[in-house]
């Protein structure tokens, strides 16, 4: 992912009477406001904040007050209002799809806020963003929720409200598909991308402590191994297998914090690569031949028959 891709946030506001709160994220900070979209702008600092409102909301006091607060905080320049229908029928849902998909830029990183969204609209917005991940190369940076019902009452009457990060609900599906592709077919490209995203997200979000250092190296190693396997470069594949195994030992703590789904399969990947990891793959020895034979078996188990036949003939 390009480091200069735009970070945009997508939020909404309803007609409810929202109480003032100090919205707090342990790693980023806190913001005191009545409206969570304001906290999104203050804490996550998107380049653009798209605020979805219906015509009824746009005529109400919440909308005018949020405009005033954004102006007071010097954030008016990033706010862009999107007027949408209520989504009462299929035609209105498709209209919402068209409106949202036109506004979100290609290759942007999207923070998706579901805190004040009306009725089923969070599912509609999330469906649109998921579709745009394929058609416009949009990256879902975070799904966030200001959990007012989990507030902590404090002296002074202003409660502290935690911000829940729900990104894992979407990410788990991505991880499942990526892990399946790697374990069943030896395809590591998508798995490497997810590990890379997990490495980069805390660096971009402003976290100061315990930042990941080795996840990116693991991603590079898995991609190198996968490419070498599929392009029939046995010596490079055996070398990359050893490199990845060494990195897996270093990355356990980082993975458990920043890439939890990956941390659950570290031992499986280590076991998978153990027969292939060669100390000196460029030296033709009995041990090297043994590793190559294990690679032929690996090809057959991954249904890479052409690679298995070609390497077996050389072996």
């Amino acid at each position: 992912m390009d480091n200069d891709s735009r970070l945009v946030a997508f939020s909404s506001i309803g007609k409810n009477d929202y109480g003032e709160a100090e919205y707090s994220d342990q790693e980023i900070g806190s913001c005191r406001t009545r409206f969570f979209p304001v906290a999104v702008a203050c804490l996550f600092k998107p380049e653009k904040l798209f605020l979805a409102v219906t015509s009824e909301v746009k005529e109400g006091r919440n909308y005018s007050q949020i405009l005033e607060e954004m102006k007071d905080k010097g954030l008016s320049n990033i706010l862009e209002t999107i007027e949408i229908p209520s989504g009462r029928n299929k035609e209105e849902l498709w209209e919402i799809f068209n409106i949202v998909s036109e506004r979100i830029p290609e290759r942007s990183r999207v923070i998706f806020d579901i805190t004040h969204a009306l009725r089923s609209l969070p599912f509609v917005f999330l469906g649109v963003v998921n579709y745009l991940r394929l058609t416009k190369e949009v990256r879902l940076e975070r799904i966030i929720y200001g959990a007012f019902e989990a507030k902590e009452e404090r002296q002074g009457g202003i409660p502290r409200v935690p911000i829940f990060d729900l990104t894992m609900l979407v990410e788990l599906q991505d991880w499942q598909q990526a892990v399946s592709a790697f374990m069943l077919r030896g395809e590591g490209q998508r798995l490497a991308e997810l590990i890379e995203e997990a490495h980069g997200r805390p660096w971009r979000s402003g976290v100061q402590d315990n930042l990941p250092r080795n996840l990116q190296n693991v991603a590079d190693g898995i991609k190198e191994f996968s490419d070498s396997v599929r392009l029939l470069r046995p010596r490079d594949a055996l070398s990359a297998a050893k490199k990845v195994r060494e990195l897996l030992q270093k990355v356990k703590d980082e993975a458990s914090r920043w890439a939890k789904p990956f941390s659950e399969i570290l031992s499986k990947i280590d076991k998978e690569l153990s027969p292939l990891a060669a100390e000196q793959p460029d030296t033709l020895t009995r041990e090297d031949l043994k590793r190559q034979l294990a690679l032929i078996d690996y090809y057959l188990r991954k249904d890479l028959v052409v690679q298995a036949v070609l390497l077996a003939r050389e072996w």
Side-chain angles (χ1 to χ4, degrees), residues 252-267:
K252 288 181 179 179
D253 291 340
E254 291 182 16
S256 65
R257 179 172 185 183
W258 303 113
K260 184 64 174 176
F262 181 58
S263 71
E264 298 296 327
I265 61 165
L266 291 179
S267 60

Side-chain angles (χ1 to χ4, degrees), residues 12-23:
S12 58
I13 197 75
K15 296 187 293 183
N16 294 341
D17 186 15
Y18 304 112
E20 189 172 16
E22 182 182 328
Y23 289 100

